[in-house]
Amino acid sequence: MRILVVEDEPDLLRSLAQALREEGYAVDTAADGEEGLYKAENYGYDALILDVMLPKLDGWEILKRLRSIKKIPVLMLTARDQLRDRVRGLDAGADDYVVKPFDLEEVFARLRALIRRGADKVTNVIEIGDVRVDTVARRVCRAEKPVELTAREYTLVEFLALHRAEVVTRARLYEHLFDETDDTFSNLLDVHVSNVRKKLGAAFIVTRRGHGYCIE
Ligand code: CA
């Protein structure tokens, strides 16, 4: 899952991005409104975390322009004294908001809910044969036994599971699994796919030659 965080306070931006990466997300960052809008328009994100007060272009303006061109879950970050803003944010098409200073666990929980909703999945647990993917605990079990996956492997499984029965192209996987800071070594999609097959069964991820990958 690839997230864009738009936030102009450098410390907050850095710590939020780092915490999200530790949760296994691919994270791009933008420090002002123009950069944020540009990335949001041009790259495929699974969700956007958007601060309200931003230089160059504020969160409302980004939301307004984005809503006219694409549907992407947006979590707004608002200050405590911007109570009216929250109502305005939800009216303008924000999907949810958290109030600063926020608890990271709350951000994670709301983000997971937004991503599930974005994929039209209402439940936290996705069952595929004898494999269970728990999107809250971010754990995978096979035949009732926990399977150890790396953060990237988990993200790959979750993305395919949320888009089950769809053929997901390699380009789309690259876009959603890796971020602008990833180096070429971590970009080895085939290695991640092969590792997941070793752990969850060779037939778990099906290759559609020339098209992409699929969980059936
Ligand atoms: Ca700000």
Side-chain angles (χ1 to χ4, degrees):
M1 299 293 155
R2 187 173 176 189
I3 312 291
L4 174 65
V5 183
V6 190
E7 168 61 65
D8 60 318
E9 291 164 45
D11 290 346
L12 181 57
L13 181 61
R14 206 177 309 120
S15 61
L16 197 49
Q18 190 191 340
L20 287 164
R21 287 195 185 104
E22 282 166 8
E23 283 289 295
Y25 294 102
V27 183
D28 287 0
T29 58
D32 67 58
E34 275 178 7
E35 187 189 4
L37 181 65
Y38 176 82
K39 287 183 175 174
E41 282 180 336
N42 290 285
Y43 305 114
Y45 295 108
D46 299 285
L48 190 60
I49 297 179
L50 184 59
D51 186 30
V52 169
M53 300 297 287
L54 290 166
K56 297 188 184 173
L57 214 57
D58 71 18
W60 305 129
E61 193 57 33
I62 294 177
L63 195 59
K64 200 174 97 193
R65 297 202 199 171
L66 212 54
R67 277 290 169 259
S68 63
I69 53 166
K70 60 162 94 167
K71 180 85 195 97
I72 162 185
V74 177
L75 179 66
M76 301 292 285
L77 304 179
T78 73
R80 192 164 289 284
D81 58 3
Q82 292 166 330
L83 184 69
R84 270 185 329 124
D85 286 358
R86 297 188 221 164
V87 179
R88 187 175 159 197
L90 295 173
D91 282 346
D95 298 286
D96 205 351
Y97 63 87
V98 287
V99 178
K100 290 178 174 180
F102 47 77
D103 179 44
L104 275 177
E105 287 305 319
E106 189 188 351
V107 171
F108 296 156
R110 288 172 185 269
L111 200 55
R112 287 191 297 261
L114 288 186
I115 290 171
R116 278 200 305 274
R117 255 189 273 152
D120 286 329
K121 295 284 184 294
V122 285
T123 147
N124 301 331
V125 176
I126 304 166
E127 299 204 25
I128 301 146
D130 64 351
V131 174
R132 278 170 65 92
V133 183
D134 182 331
T135 61
V136 170
R138 303 179 67 83
R139 291 191 64 86
V140 173
C141 287
R142 184 184 185 195
E144 312 283 313
K145 291 192 188 68
V147 177
E148 289 299 324
L149 296 179
T150 65
R152 271 294 141 75
E153 289 163 9
Y154 173 81
T155 311
L156 170 65
V157 169
E158 187 190 76
F159 192 82
L160 288 173
L162 285 170
H163 299 89
R164 189 176 179 181
E166 284 173 44
V167 178
V168 180
T169 62
R170 292 175 60 86
R172 192 161 164 219
L173 281 174
Y174 271 109
E175 195 163 49
H176 289 268
L177 263 52
F178 305 111
D179 63 40
E180 57 196 4
T181 66
D182 277 307
D183 55 36
T184 46
F185 291 108
S186 65
N187 278 6
L188 299 168
L189 184 59
D190 307 288
V191 175
H192 295 303
V193 169
S194 148
N195 288 340
V196 167
R197 283 179 173 147
K198 275 178 209 149
K199 295 173 183 180
L200 295 176
F204 184 72
I205 296 175
V206 177
T207 303
R208 296 286 178 80
R209 295 264 168 250
H211 299 284
Y213 297 104
C214 178
I215 289 180
E216 292 180 328

